[in-house]
Amino acid sequence: MHHTQFSNMGRRRFIGFAGASLAGAALIGCTGGSKTSAPAASNTSGSAGTAAAPAASVKPASEITFWSAAPASSKAVDEELVKRFQAKFPDIKVKYEVQGSNYAELSDKLAASIAAKTAPDVAMLSDVWWFKYAAAKQTVPVDDLLKHPLLKEAGFDQADYVDSLMKDYQFNGKQWGMPYARSTPLFYYNKSVWQAAGLPDRGPKTWSEMDEWATKIMPKMGAGKFAFTNGKGSSYIAWTFHAVIWQFGGHYSDEKFNLLMNSPEGIAAGNYVRDQIFKMKYANVTSASETDDFVAGQTASIISSTGGLKGILDRSKGKFEVGTAFLPEAKQFGCPTGGAGLSIMSSSSPEKQLAAALFIAFATSPENTAYYSQNTGYMPVRKSAATGPMAEFFKTNPQFKTAVDQLAKTQPQESARVWIPGGDAIIGTGLERMVLKNEDPKDVWPDVIKQLEKEAAPIKKQIGLS
Amino acid sequence: MNSARRTGDRHALRDYALFAAFVAPNLLLLLLFVYRPLVQGVWLSFFSWDLISPDWEWVGLDNYREYLTDSASHYILRNTLIFSVGTVIGSMSLGLGLALLLNLPLRGREVVRTILFTPYVISGAAIGVVWLFIFDPRLGLLAALLAKVGLPSPDWFNDPNWAMPMVIIAYVWKNLGYTVVVFLAGLQSIPGDLYEAARVDGAGSWSRLRHVTLPMLSPVTLFLLVTNTLSSVQAFDMIRVMTQGGPLEATKTMNYQLYEEGFVRFHVGTASTIATLLFLLLLATTLLQLRTMERRVHYS
């Protein structure tokens, strides 16, 4: 009896303890690291605020760490660039680390590393992430670093970088990162379907042309298949729709964080995308990936990142020929840039920052950016690459040329999506209401604006805008 | 008498020292890595902080006030409850059924047990990717199977009403092995003579299940109820991979929101507020489960 009583208590306690400890784990798992290391953040940023450009006497450090998210399976391509750098600069060792499988994961780890004082020297930060780190003074402007005599010696030429790609990383008159894995949306179409529908071998010049073509494409597609497929609401559509809102003459926002989507143009753009799906019924929203749908022949055309170009070409080989084209126009042309750049962390010493700048300049030289571009589909970030090392490649890969030609007409994205932390998802959820639930943009945009305003307040305060 | 007591004291003291020596290392680690961050997490919920800059601001209970009055939070709380209730009921009922089946003297049951347990030890992110393919309404495995019997696939990813069942199914599948194994252990510790006696008394198989198996399993059932509830609320990896909380935030649970507030929107205060509320919610749920269920639990 006594024994059973004892084991009874034991079990109860055991269950109670298991309960308490698991409940606690939820709390710890999520907030554990942050506070512990908060003082570290204050140390690093103290030096960041006062960090001046390295004098000509500063020598580059002997080792730097480079964090990449290796987008579009580009690990081997990154590694080749590091290898080339080591051959040219054997005294500066680059520790290459893939941190996370996408830009968001890299940012998660970077935030944690800043707190833990283990931040790298060079970090890949995408369009929607770099601004927050710059605002919090965790990255440094690269302007002065790029003026160091060593860079001139290495043949660095800032004027040769594609303007719209540079502008994306500018704020307060400073350059907060250099373009690296940069992409733009591109129109992809299935040439076999185009041919069967009796269409000319090119993309639609305007959306009304697409609407007309769709009536010829749909009969060739079969039940449950579409003439055009949109990207996923949660992660993509706010980027491709950036192009559409511009094409209709509207804007997400301006540089002062004024939110402008609820304009007649913004409403017309939203209504158009809705109509493609619910009225004209030739478009849908992908379930998992619009590129998968396209390659599997479930859709005749998509707007998707140039970063996936190589993958799409490889996977459609033997099935059908892929055509690429500029985005269709409405009132005008509109196309954002996207993808990621490389930033230098403020916690690094001036010597490491200089070595980092040398590495970034080297990795984006005309030859190297051409190599990177050809093996991934990201855009060559140097103007001279298109006429020089890319020229031969274009002959056998005409799809790449379209993307690079379009690049000259792109614009940097607006603050609502890329400067407000979480802005991308807020706009994306609003767009989901239009393209999944057929809600009127007139009802959706005010809600989106309300949420964006709330999220904009702290970052505006941080950069001294309010 | 006196000296006897002193010897007893000395014994007690020595026992106590031994006890302390044994538990100290563990206790120290627990304090350092479990309780200290737990307390700090609660502390952070009273601040406004962006995770990466040195600027902290004391905001008192503002984070709580804001969170609790936001209508979005109520929707997310509702999602959390649906997900937890769905996964707990799913895992427990399927788990019990499979455990009963695997407790029968069938050939090859060891192999089946191993297969069933495997998903539990595979990373949730990897499993999420596999289920992404299975559920894809155009290209997926499930759509192909449904097409064979002439059924259309639900639009799992784009229909807010189907997305939650989808993540629940995937999550139950991943964690079923754990529930089965614990139930099996419980079944195997039930003494065979109880069944003998029941049979002698003329109890059929349903009666034996109802009056012998289930009561004898009740401690294990309570244990599983508590641990399954707790782990369901902490689900993150599969939601991150499969839906990112979408479509239209239909699969956004409190734990996912916590990640988003902390690492995407850079509101550590709000994230810590959610963590603290989640902690209190789980504590209350666990106590309630123990209180209300324990009376019905039959310990042998």
Side-chain angles (χ1 to χ4, degrees):
Chain A
M1 192 58 214
H2 180 255
H3 180 255
T4 38
Q5 190 61 32
F6 180 78
S7 66
N8 185 349
M9 283 307 291
R11 276 184 222 204
R12 261 194 238 169
R13 282 213 186 135
F14 176 59
I15 291 169
F17 178 75
S21 62
L22 273 167
L27 194 61
I28 293 152
C30 304
T31 61
S34 21
K35 167 74 191 276
T36 351
S37 27
S42 63
N43 289 346
T44 53
S45 96
S47 64
T50 53
S57 60
V58 169
K59 296 276 174 289
S62 58
E63 185 180 288
I64 54 166
T65 306
F66 166 32
W67 278 13
S68 167
S73 318
S74 57
K75 181 166 182 257
V77 190
D78 279 342
E79 282 171 340
E80 168 64 20
L81 293 183
V82 170
K83 211 174 99 191
R84 290 181 185 186
F85 181 77
Q86 302 296 204
K88 183 128 189 248
F89 297 92
D91 297 334
I92 307 174
K93 187 178 174 338
V94 176
K95 264 176 73 189
Y96 172 72
E97 291 170 10
V98 176
Q99 295 283 356
S101 59
N102 56 50
Y103 302 135
E105 279 178 23
L106 189 127
S107 172
D108 297 348
K109 295 189 177 181
L110 189 63
S113 78
I114 288 168
K117 277 196 188 174
T118 54
D121 305 297
V122 180
M124 179 180 282
L125 288 171
S126 88
D127 51 358
V128 301
W129 294 106
W130 71 269
F131 190 79
K132 177 63 199 175
Y133 288 88
K137 297 196 171 72
Q138 291 303 329
T139 55
V140 287
V142 292
D143 309 73
D144 293 329
L145 286 166
L146 296 175
K147 291 192 187 99
H148 195 278
L150 268 179
L151 273 106
K152 199 170 275 171
E153 264 171 53
F156 176 75
D157 175 13
Q158 192 162 344
D160 188 41
Y161 283 77
V162 175
D163 299 315
S164 61
L165 298 183
M166 287 294 273
K167 273 189 205 141
D168 261 329
Y169 284 76
Q170 285 166 7
F171 167 69
N172 259 352
K174 296 255 171 64
Q175 187 75 37
W176 295 87
M178 293 297 280
Y180 183 64
R182 301 306 308 278
S183 55
T184 73
L186 187 66
F187 187 87
Y188 295 82
Y189 63 97
N190 181 324
K191 288 195 176 191
S192 313
V193 175
W194 246 237
Q195 208 172 12
L199 302 174
D201 185 15
R202 60 171 175 86
K205 285 212 178 75
T206 61
W207 281 114
S208 19
E209 189 171 46
M210 183 64 201
D211 299 341
E212 191 195 314
W213 287 6
T215 58
K216 296 176 187 158
I217 296 169
M218 285 305 275
K220 307 288 171 201
M221 291 304 293
K225 299 183 182 178
F226 293 89
F228 178 77
T229 294
N230 287 290
K232 248 187 115 56
S234 54
S235 60
Y236 222 69
I237 208 165
W239 184 51
T240 53
F241 186 80
H242 209 322
V244 181
I245 199 167
W246 278 336
Q247 289 154 8
F248 279 78
H251 292 277
Y252 278 157
S253 60
D254 65 16
E255 281 192 9
K256 301 273 180 223
F257 293 86
N258 293 309
L259 300 163
L260 308 170
M261 50 274 275
N262 196 23
S263 62
E265 294 83 8
I267 292 169
N271 275 329
Y272 175 69
V273 179
R274 258 170 96 199
D275 286 350
Q276 283 183 306
I277 297 170
F278 296 102
K279 216 181 241 169
M280 297 180 272
K281 296 186 194 289
Y282 71 77
N284 73 331
V285 180
T286 186
S287 289
S289 140
E290 74 287 350
T291 55
D292 286 356
D293 290 351
F294 180 68
V295 171
Q298 296 288 318
T299 181
S301 64
I302 53 171
I303 288 179
S304 189
S305 168
T306 58
L309 179 51
K310 189 170 189 302
I312 290 177
L313 292 179
D314 289 349
R315 288 160 65 201
S316 59
K317 212 166 264 171
K319 292 186 193 163
F320 59 88
E321 232 189 293
V322 176
T324 57
F326 287 12
L327 303 190
E329 299 177 13
K331 274 186 191 166
Q332 62 200 39
F333 180 80
C335 182
T337 57
L342 300 180
S343 291
I344 299 175
M345 305 306 293
S346 61
S347 52
S348 302
S349 65
E351 290 77 17
K352 288 200 179 237
Q353 291 178 350
L354 177 60
L358 265 172
F359 171 71
I360 293 173
F362 178 86
T364 53
S365 74
E367 294 72 30
N368 289 334
T369 194
Y371 170 78
Y372 191 82
S373 173
Q374 289 167 19
N375 288 284
T376 56
Y378 285 100
M379 296 293 91
V381 300
R382 301 289 289 264
K383 293 173 197 162
S384 62
T387 47
M390 292 293 283
E392 196 59 31
F393 181 73
F394 287 153
K395 283 183 197 155
T396 44
N397 297 274
Q399 293 96 338
F400 273 81
K401 188 172 187 313
T402 327
V404 176
D405 287 346
Q406 182 182 253
L407 185 61
K409 302 175 71 179
T410 55
Q411 308 164 63
Q413 297 176 65
E414 292 168 341
S415 58
R417 175 168 187 265
V418 290
W419 288 5
I420 298 175
D424 176 48
I426 293 171
I427 301 172
T429 304
L431 289 166
E432 277 187 325
R433 285 172 61 185
M434 301 178 205
V435 299
L436 297 179
K437 303 287 273 182
N438 199 15
E439 282 191 55
D440 195 322
K442 256 186 261 173
D443 303 325
V444 175
W445 286 136
D447 293 347
V448 169
I449 288 173
K450 214 170 105 191
Q451 285 185 60
L452 286 172
E453 267 168 356
K454 186 175 158 237
E455 294 305 317
I459 192 107
K460 279 164 78 178
K461 197 169 143 198
Q462 190 164 39
I463 60 172
L465 206 70
S466 65
Chain B
M1 177 103 183
N2 223 351
S3 78
R5 193 191 290 159
R6 223 173 290 144
T7 345
D9 283 353
R10 223 177 292 142
H11 266 291
L13 202 68
R14 207 187 300 150
D15 282 354
Y16 193 75
L18 196 64
F19 166 74
F22 273 120
V23 297
N26 271 333
L27 203 63
L28 211 67
L29 287 175
L30 276 175
L31 282 175
L32 199 63
F33 293 111
V34 177
Y35 295 105
R36 192 190 63 146
L38 197 149
V39 171
Q40 283 176 328
V42 176
W43 180 238
L44 272 173
S45 67
F46 303 113
F47 288 88
S48 168
W49 179 44
D50 77 348
L51 185 67
I52 56 175
S53 78
D55 314 317
W56 293 52
E57 196 191 328
W58 172 266
V59 295
L61 288 170
D62 280 6
N63 288 329
Y64 289 89
R65 202 168 301 132
E66 205 174 303
Y67 184 79
L68 292 171
T69 54
D70 188 353
S71 61
S73 313
H74 303 159
Y75 181 61
I76 289 162
L77 177 65
R78 175 187 154 271
N79 288 346
T80 311
L81 291 177
I82 293 175
F83 181 81
S84 287
V85 171
T87 52
V88 170
I89 291 179
S91 315
M92 300 275 292
S93 50
L94 279 173
L96 179 61
L98 282 167
L100 288 170
L101 201 67
L102 288 176
N103 200 36
L104 300 175
L106 300 171
R107 225 193 312 164
R109 63 177 181 173
E110 275 75 22
V111 180
V112 178
R113 279 180 206 166
T114 312
I115 292 172
L116 261 175
F117 194 69
T118 311
Y120 186 67
V121 293
I122 300 176
S123 116
I127 287 177
V129 172
V130 173
W131 281 99
L132 270 181
F133 162 69
I134 294 175
F135 279 118
D136 191 316
R138 269 168 282 281
L139 313 168
L141 186 68
L142 191 61
L145 291 176
L146 287 170
K148 286 224 161 99
V149 290
L151 287 173
S153 168
D155 202 352
W156 299 101
F157 296 92
N158 288 336
D159 187 336
N161 298 322
W162 281 107
M164 183 58 96
M166 171 179 76
V167 287
I168 290 176
I169 292 170
Y171 185 85
V172 166
W173 180 82
K174 180 184 173 357
N175 293 284
L176 194 57
Y178 164 77
T179 309
V180 171
V181 164
V182 178
F183 266 134
L184 254 178
L187 285 172
Q188 287 173 352
S189 68
I190 300 175
D193 44 7
L194 285 179
Y195 290 107
E196 292 290 328
R199 209 170 281 136
V200 168
D201 290 345
S205 60
W206 171 250
S207 272
R208 287 202 298 275
L209 176 71
R210 173 83 183 70
H211 298 290
V212 179
T213 310
L214 291 183
M216 292 303 285
L217 272 185
S218 55
V220 168
T221 310
L222 176 61
F223 173 79
L224 282 173
L225 180 70
V226 171
T227 53
N228 273 332
T229 306
L230 293 174
S231 64
S232 75
V233 173
Q234 295 170 55
F236 172 76
D237 43 9
M238 292 171 78
I239 295 176
R240 175 86 182 90
V241 171
M242 293 180 71
T243 64
Q244 294 91 47
L248 294 157
E249 309 196 318
T251 56
K252 200 188 268 185
T253 58
M254 280 175 83
N255 204 31
Y256 192 85
Q257 184 191 23
L258 189 161
Y259 158 76
E260 200 177 65
E261 286 293 338
F263 284 94
V264 180
R265 298 184 175 181
F266 294 92
H267 302 317
V268 175
T270 313
S272 302
T273 301
I274 299 170
T276 308
L277 290 172
L278 208 53
F279 174 72
L280 294 175
L281 199 71
L282 286 179
L283 200 65
T285 311
T286 307
L287 289 177
L288 192 75
Q289 285 172 337
L290 292 178
R291 280 278 157 76
T292 56
M293 297 287 294
E294 193 133 69
R295 257 176 269 135
R296 279 177 236 160
V297 167
H298 177 91
Y299 291 106
S300 58

